Amino acid sequence: MSKKSSVLKKVLIPLFIVILLASSGFYYVYSKSLGNIKTVKIPDNKEELNTKPDKEDPNAKSKALEKSSDITNIALFGIDTRADDYDGSRADSIMIASLDLTHKKIKLTSIMRDSFVSILGEKYDKINHSYAYGGPELTIKTINENFDMNIKDYVTVNFSALEQIVDAVGGVEIDVKDYEIDQISGSSLGVQTLDGQQALAYSRIRHAGDGDYERTVRQRTVLQNVINKVLEKKSLPQAIALISILSPFTQTSLDNGELIGLATTVFSSGITAMENTRLPVDGQAIGGTWDGVYYLKPDTLSKNVSYLHDFIYEETGYVPSPAVEEISNTIINTV
């Protein structure tokens, strides 16, 4: 047998097995696990979500706004209602999840909930208020408008699911600081494996260390630990078990087929690396009280947007759009 024929068999046989599995119940198993996820479609056109063009968009008007089609950005929202209640809640956690097939990475960007931004159709306010004003759709519009993003889909998860998810992967390894011990029952100082209840308490800590800044780090750390365990093990039964746990606590704009497609892409792409960051960037924000309300004002928004695009797309020198520059100037001049 020729070397070329051997290579073809190595490629085609696994592909055939995947097709066989898909046609004989594999899709059904996933679909059954996803059955409890609440799908809420939102508009997917550029005008409604204010998305910026990608590299395949023939109508792109500015090279500065082009986005790689090999990088998919999805909004992640965490709410802490302790119930199946998504309406009227403020987003307790706001992240951008970037699936980067070019550099084989998953990237998580936290946006501080007190960040002072322009909320379309409303006013300048905390970004987490946009979720209460208009749900995930308005929050996506707000992210796209303020950060020159091209997000079209979202996943909202109730924090009540975190405890069960962490237990399902056998706990998460966390380096607990001395000022965190009292708020995590049964924990001690240093690196240790936290169970679900402890990890949830850890993620909720707000008034310790560097306040809400450090809280976003804790949330990303727990999430990154869970994802790393799944990626390393690559266990189909574990993945299905996690989906079954998450589904009753999840609302998304993605249908079952799209969710399965994303999961398949992650598992088949060879992605093993994860990176995370936070906006506003350290040293590029001013926190304070205006009219009796605490806000975190980017200083400047334009610099933060340039940093975000460098992080996600790994192409330095991003120039923010005129719309972002206008918002940035307004924020600076608002007292």
Side-chain angles (χ1 to χ4, degrees), residues 144-292:
N144 288 339
E145 173 72 9
N146 287 267
F147 299 100
D148 273 353
M149 292 304 296
N150 60 351
I151 298 171
K152 296 180 180 179
D153 290 295
Y154 76 93
V155 177
T156 296
V157 179
N158 194 306
F159 272 3
S160 300
L162 183 61
E163 182 175 339
Q164 298 178 58
I165 288 294
V166 170
D167 284 337
V169 298
V172 291
E173 194 172 85
I174 299 293
D175 185 4
V176 178
K177 309 295 190 302
D178 55 0
Y179 51 84
E180 298 169 332
I181 295 175
D182 291 344
Q183 301 187 58
I184 309 171
S185 178
S187 69
S188 56
L189 182 65
V191 178
Q192 61 203 278
T193 300
L194 300 185
D195 63 22
Q197 186 177 18
Q198 292 171 320
L200 181 59
Y202 173 79
S203 299
R204 283 175 168 157
I205 295 174
R206 291 193 64 188
H207 305 294
D210 200 10
D212 212 35
Y213 280 100
E214 197 165 348
R215 180 170 175 270
T216 66
V217 175
R218 294 186 189 100
Q219 292 172 349
R220 292 197 307 273
T221 299
V222 171
L223 184 57
Q224 186 166 340
N225 266 269
V226 171
I227 294 174
N228 280 340
K229 282 197 166 187
V230 174
L231 290 176
E232 288 169 5
K233 197 169 183 179
K234 290 187 176 179
S235 166
L236 179 59
Q238 183 188 63
I240 293 173
L242 290 174
I243 292 169
S244 297
I245 292 170
L246 264 177
S247 59
F249 300 94
T250 303
Q251 175 181 294
T252 180
S253 59
L254 298 162
D255 61 31
N256 286 6
E258 291 167 327
L259 287 169
I260 292 168
L262 280 175
T264 302
T265 298
V266 172
F267 272 82
S268 64
S269 64
I271 288 177
T272 56
M274 286 196 66
E275 295 179 354
N276 66 80
T277 191
R278 177 184 61 219
L279 292 178
V281 180
D282 289 347
Q284 292 188 13
I286 301 171
T289 301
W290 287 268
D291 295 328

